[in-house]
Amino acid sequence: RIVAEGTVPATRRALAAWADGLTRPWRGAMEATLFTGWIYDFLRPRADELKVGHSFMLRAICAAKKKNDRVDARKLADALRCNLLPECYMAPAEIRDLRRVLRYRNLLVREAVRLKNKTAGLLMEVGAEYDKNRVDGQKYFDELLGRLDEIPESVVDLLRLNRSSQKVFEASQKRLVRGLKEHPALAERVQRLMSIPAVGEITALTWALEVAD
């Protein structure tokens, strides 16, 4: 029997009013999404039990042609009531915050590599001769730009812009890695992991944050 049903805006004020108005004790469940983390952290102290369902396993269990938020909410409630909810592990908030930083660092690395490849692409587009083994070096790159007389000036400007953007991404990702390595919650564990042969700082950070405990 459904006692109450409705929608709640995903804001802290609305969630607090909704949760504080429930009769204790109460149990809750939600599907893992992009914004589940902060909602879980906000509601957990207000609930007697709060679980997060594994999104892929829920799709297999609750597959249906008719699918919308109301139907999904009912299926989650039924799974929780019958103790059949495929629960996923929620790492501590501090670990999730650090994990977000590491993943953002990985994004910066991908962008830096993309810009690095774009430099080679621009040079090849205009038929410029260059040493692919040295073009990443700043001294050689400056010398190369100084002798590119037969290519459009717009391409030279793009090359300079591309290189400066690449350096920003590279410097930013290094700063993030340094902050993660020195974080009190990670420093000792990262050092222990790096004592394993062939394990560098990025692998150690990935193991510590993505695998957790």
Side-chain angles (χ1 to χ4, degrees):
R1 183 171 66 93
I2 297 177
V3 176
E5 195 170 28
T7 60
V8 182
T11 64
R12 287 175 172 81
R13 180 179 298 179
L15 288 170
W18 170 78
D20 293 341
L22 296 175
T23 303
R24 300 292 294 267
W26 67 271
R27 303 165 63 212
M30 67 183 78
E31 184 177 359
T33 63
L34 177 65
F35 48 83
T36 296
W38 76 264
I39 296 179
Y40 177 86
D41 294 336
F42 187 77
L43 290 180
R44 184 64 189 87
R46 293 173 163 84
D48 292 271
E49 185 179 20
L50 189 62
K51 296 183 177 182
V52 177
H54 194 290
S55 57
F56 288 105
M57 295 180 69
L58 281 172
R59 291 178 191 176
I61 295 174
C62 303
K65 294 182 178 179
K66 184 178 180 182
K67 181 175 175 63
N68 53 52
D69 289 342
R70 176 173 294 183
V71 172
D72 289 348
R74 290 179 178 180
K75 289 183 179 295
L76 280 173
D78 281 340
L80 180 65
R81 178 177 58 85
C82 299
N83 199 27
L84 294 174
L85 184 78
E87 186 177 3
C88 69
Y89 169 70
M90 288 296 291
E94 183 180 36
I95 294 297
R96 284 186 272 123
D97 290 341
L98 295 172
R99 183 183 293 170
R100 184 184 302 114
V101 174
L102 178 63
R103 292 176 179 178
Y104 189 78
R105 175 264 169 192
N106 294 339
L107 170 66
L108 295 180
V109 170
R110 290 194 296 271
E111 290 300 311
V113 172
R114 185 175 64 85
L115 291 172
K116 175 181 175 181
N117 294 336
K118 186 60 179 177
T119 295
L122 288 169
L123 290 169
M124 287 188 288
E125 282 182 23
V126 295
E129 295 183 8
Y130 69 97
D131 187 343
K132 65 179 181 179
N133 295 320
R134 300 175 59 196
V135 72
D136 292 333
Q138 189 61 48
K139 182 178 179 180
Y140 175 80
F141 184 78
D142 293 338
E143 294 175 353
L144 178 64
L145 293 184
R147 54 184 171 82
L148 293 178
D149 300 326
E150 299 181 358
I151 70 172
E153 186 64 28
S154 62
V155 175
V156 176
D157 292 339
L158 289 175
L159 286 168
R160 288 197 177 98
L161 177 61
N162 201 67
R163 176 53 65 96
S164 63
S165 299
Q166 179 185 338
K167 291 174 67 176
V168 168
F169 283 130
E170 291 175 345
S172 298
Q173 72 90 9
K174 289 179 181 178
R175 179 171 59 84
L176 293 179
V177 170
R178 185 166 58 252
L180 288 172
K181 285 177 58 182
E182 296 172 357
H183 194 280
L186 291 175
E188 182 179 355
R189 187 174 184 185
V190 168
Q191 288 300 318
R192 289 182 178 178
L193 289 170
M194 289 178 63
S195 66
I196 302 173
V199 174
E201 60 185 17
I202 302 304
T203 300
L205 285 169
T206 302
W207 285 354
L209 292 174
E210 297 293 356
V211 179
D213 294 330

